[in-house]
């Protein structure tokens, strides 16, 4: 089972039994719905930090039992491709990576001019 939202992917280990796979999918779907429906006053990472442990407790399971791994992904507008970063088991590490990639995410619909994106990337260090 796997869910994607806001450039973050959460996946559980593959299992042979349909009932177990559906339970894993239910947990991941509850996490996704919880993050999307929680207060928008806090950042995406803070919402994930609050929701994931609460959902795991609610379903009487743990990330180890689910075999839960996380990864970030983002689209490179110039190349028109999606970059998937390596999977990791640590929620905090995955969220730090996700937050670090935020300046490179495009929220615009359609194609972004490559010169504009290149200038943003070139001036990234100066802006920080």
């Amino acid at each position: 089972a796997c869910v994607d939202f806001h450039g973050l992917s959460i996946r559980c280990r593959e299992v042979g039994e349909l009932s177990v796979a559906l339970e894993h999918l239910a947990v991941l779907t509850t996490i996704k719905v919880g993050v999307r429906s929680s207060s928008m006053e806090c950042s995406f990472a803070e919402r994930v930090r609050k929701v994931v442990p609460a959902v795991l407790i609610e379903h009487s399971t743990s990330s180890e039992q689910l075999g839960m791994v996380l990864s970030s992904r983002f689209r490179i507008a110039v190349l028109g491709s999606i970059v998937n970063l390596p999977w990791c088991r640590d929620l905090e590490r995955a969220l730090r990576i996700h937050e670090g990639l935020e300046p490179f995410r495009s929220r615009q619909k359609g194609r972004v001019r490559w010169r504009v994106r290149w200038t943003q990337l070139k001036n990234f260090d100066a802006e920080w």
Side-chain angles (χ1 to χ4, degrees):
C2 183
V3 293
D4 298 312
F5 52 101
H6 298 287
L8 183 70
S9 298
I10 304 177
R11 182 177 75 186
C12 291
R13 79 164 80 56
E14 293 181 17
V15 293
E17 293 182 37
L18 179 61
S19 62
V20 176
L22 289 175
E23 288 175 18
H24 290 183
L25 184 59
V27 171
L28 295 182
T29 303
T30 306
I31 290 171
K32 183 176 182 176
V33 169
V35 170
R36 285 189 169 177
S37 66
S38 62
S39 172
M40 291 297 191
E41 296 171 358
C42 56
S43 72
F44 172 75
E46 290 172 359
R47 292 192 315 257
V48 173
R49 283 184 187 103
K50 290 177 187 175
V51 170
V52 170
V55 169
L56 293 176
I57 290 170
E58 177 185 330
H59 287 270
S60 302
T61 189
S62 68
S63 60
E64 292 82 18
Q65 289 173 331
L66 294 174
M68 192 166 71
V69 290
L70 303 100
S71 176
S72 287
R73 55 190 301 181
F74 63 100
R75 181 179 303 279
I76 298 178
V78 175
L79 302 175
S81 62
I82 295 176
V83 175
N84 293 311
L85 298 177
W87 295 93
C88 69
R89 297 189 186 286
D90 183 21
L91 177 65
E92 286 302 317
R93 182 177 178 201
L95 290 175
R96 280 195 310 271
I97 292 169
H98 186 78
E99 287 175 325
L101 292 171
E102 192 61 32
F104 303 104
R105 295 187 200 290
S106 175
R107 300 288 185 232
Q108 299 175 341
K109 301 244 185 226
R111 297 183 66 107
V112 178
R113 290 191 200 163
W114 69 270
R115 289 185 196 264
V116 172
R117 179 62 81 197
W118 181 254
T119 303
Q120 290 172 341
L121 292 173
K122 182 179 172 187
N123 296 329
F124 178 74
D125 288 331
E127 291 176 5
W128 279 88

